[in-house]
Amino acid sequence: MPLETGAVAPDFTLPAQDGAPVTLSTLLEKGSVVIFFYPAAETAVCTKEACHFRDLAAEFAEIGAQRIGISKDSIEKQAGFAAHHDLDYPVLSDPSGSVAALYGVKPSILGKIGPLQRTTFAIGADGRIKTVVEGMLKADIHADEALAALRS
């Protein structure tokens, strides 16, 4: 089970596509954060989801929210993915799945192996989770529902 609404989001540091470390608590100092865990870079639904988060950049900026994507892909794969789709936000590499586990995001095959389940967390500037969005095949709802939760 993913962490629930109202829970304090666990802090973490992971490398972004450029190798630079990204720490959640540092991002939260500037406002709310949306973290979306996705199964794999360059797959059809993940690409659609990542591009939808990119396309809503102005809406997220309007409310002072930052976006970050996380998958088990390598830094190199994340770098190619971000460059190929002009992603304007960090995509982080969590190859061991340790940060996903902190958030209760499990691998998709029997919860034990394979890529991560598609799960999004909208986190308020206070570090508390405002909403959790799940749905493996529903690429568009993740950004839309996270944005709605942070606006309310």
Side-chain angles (χ1 to χ4, degrees):
M1 282 293 278
L3 292 175
E4 296 184 3
T5 301
V8 174
D11 199 17
F12 63 84
T13 301
L14 284 174
Q17 68 267 30
D18 60 1
V22 173
T23 301
L24 178 62
S25 55
T26 303
L27 295 177
L28 286 170
E29 290 171 7
K30 298 174 188 162
S32 55
V33 175
V34 176
I35 302 171
F36 67 99
F37 290 90
Y38 59 97
E42 296 295 358
T43 57
V45 180
C46 294
T47 298
K48 185 175 179 185
E49 177 185 29
C51 290
H52 193 56
F53 271 100
R54 177 202 64 207
D55 295 345
L56 292 176
E59 287 86 341
F60 281 106
E62 226 171 69
I63 59 168
Q66 300 166 83
R67 301 147 292 145
I68 55 174
I70 300 176
S71 76
K72 292 168 103 177
D73 292 305
S74 68
I75 293 170
E76 296 76 23
K77 180 111 188 230
Q78 298 289 43
F81 182 52
H84 184 216
H85 299 288
D86 295 318
L87 301 182
D88 62 336
Y89 54 85
V91 285
L92 311 183
S93 177
D94 182 22
S96 69
S98 60
V99 171
L102 278 177
Y103 281 76
V105 177
K106 304 257 189 249
S108 56
I109 304 169
L110 303 174
K112 296 190 183 342
I113 59 170
L116 298 174
Q117 291 281 352
R118 186 178 319 285
T119 311
T120 298
F121 298 87
I123 304 166
D126 63 355
R128 294 201 173 271
I129 297 170
K130 293 184 71 109
T131 196
V132 180
V133 185
E134 295 179 90
M136 281 300 277
L137 300 177
K138 298 175 179 172
D140 288 347
I141 69 164
H142 289 261
D144 294 346
E145 290 187 16
L147 192 56
L150 291 174
R151 280 181 171 149
S152 66

